[in-house]
Amino acid sequence: MDRRTDLLPWSWASTAAMTLVTVVGVLSFTWPFLVDSEAALARGNNAPWLFPALVGLLGAVLLAELSRGGMDAKVVATLGVLAAMGGALRVLSAGTAGLEPMFFLVVLGGRVLGRTAGFLLGALAIITGAFLTGGVGPWTPFQMIATGWVGLGAALLPDWRGRAERWLLAAYGLVTGLAYGAVMNLWFWPFLGSSAPSGAGFDPDASLATQLGHYGVFYGLTSLGWDLPRGVLTAALVLIAARPVLQALRRAVRRAAFGLPQTP
């Protein structure tokens, strides 16, 4: 029996909105590989349309939930507090050596809050941290999408409980620590030009297999050293603190989402 109770219950409206957000997110990372190479390089990685488009889509998700009565003041407060905590954790670490404890909260929060709220938690934690640090830039909407996917993915994991759940979430935290960097690099890697390491740059005339090979070299040389500490830290924090944090979050969700089935 599936015992999960999403803070924002999954509906056709949220399904449509989240599908659209995901499609826009995938295209925002991969469009240089899908269009004429010269046009892609000429345009560069400046995507001023992405931030307002993403904010608009997230607003559509919230509007869909408000219109169907799925979101009230308690839900907003729960989501807001967790997003603020995530932003504060990002300020404390500032990403030094790839160590970002915020992902620990996004993984556990997404696990408990559910699919829609898990995505919103990741995206809102990023924008909160960016405003607190003054680190808003062209990379911010890409970070919001990628971190939102981390929260969404945690909610989609199998409904295990107890020790098995903690090890599952720890493994997920390790994998997403690496995957987050691998995805985030795509917003700028095709546009590095001659500044990319030898044999690790985007070649617009090469085949997809060659591109993947070049990107693998680039990732190993420049990103792995930052992403591995992020994944290891997330996994370690999950193993250490998941039990009390999950209990506290589930208790908060039960109190915020009246009318939903109660879980132990």
Side-chain angles (χ1 to χ4, degrees), residues 6-258:
D6 289 9
L7 187 66
L8 298 175
W10 200 244
S11 65
W12 69 267
S14 58
T15 300
M18 290 303 302
T19 299
L20 188 56
V21 170
T22 299
V23 169
V24 170
V26 171
L27 291 177
S28 68
F29 281 106
T30 61
W31 71 268
F33 304 96
L34 305 176
V35 301
D36 177 76
S37 56
E38 293 185 2
L41 294 177
R43 185 176 180 82
N45 63 346
N46 185 23
W49 57 270
L50 182 57
F51 188 76
L54 179 60
V55 171
L57 289 172
L58 294 180
V61 174
L62 295 174
L63 183 61
E65 294 302 330
L66 286 170
S67 64
R68 60 181 293 275
M71 176 176 284
D72 57 17
K74 297 186 294 296
V75 174
V76 172
T78 302
L79 192 56
V81 168
L82 291 175
M85 292 173 63
L89 287 173
R90 196 152 189 260
V91 172
L92 291 175
S93 65
T96 304
L99 300 174
E100 297 183 79
M102 177 199 70
F103 283 90
F104 148 74
L105 184 64
V106 173
V107 169
L108 296 185
R111 175 68 172 176
V112 174
L113 300 183
R115 293 156 287 190
T116 304
F119 183 93
L120 292 174
L121 170 61
L124 293 175
I126 286 292
I127 193 62
T128 302
F131 279 126
L132 290 175
T133 61
V136 178
W139 55 85
T140 303
F142 295 96
Q143 291 178 327
M144 292 172 67
I145 293 170
T147 310
W149 283 337
V150 173
L152 172 64
L156 294 174
L157 293 173
D159 185 29
W160 297 351
R161 294 300 169 95
R163 182 176 300 177
E165 181 183 37
R166 294 194 290 276
W167 280 103
L168 175 65
L169 293 174
Y172 177 75
L174 176 61
V175 171
T176 53
L178 298 170
Y180 176 81
V183 171
M184 275 302 301
N185 294 338
L186 293 176
W187 86 270
F188 66 86
W189 176 70
F191 312 102
L192 288 177
S194 59
S195 62
S198 177
F202 177 72
D203 183 351
D205 298 320
S207 65
L208 178 60
T210 302
Q211 298 287 16
L212 292 175
H214 287 190
Y215 182 70
V217 174
F218 175 81
Y219 181 80
L221 291 175
T222 66
S223 187
L224 181 60
W226 291 82
D227 298 338
L228 188 58
R230 178 191 304 116
V232 171
L233 177 64
T234 302
L237 290 176
V238 167
L239 289 176
I240 293 171
R243 183 174 182 178
V245 173
L246 287 173
Q247 289 177 344
L249 289 175
R250 285 177 172 138
R251 186 164 52 247
V253 168
R254 285 198 298 270
R255 292 176 177 175
F258 295 131

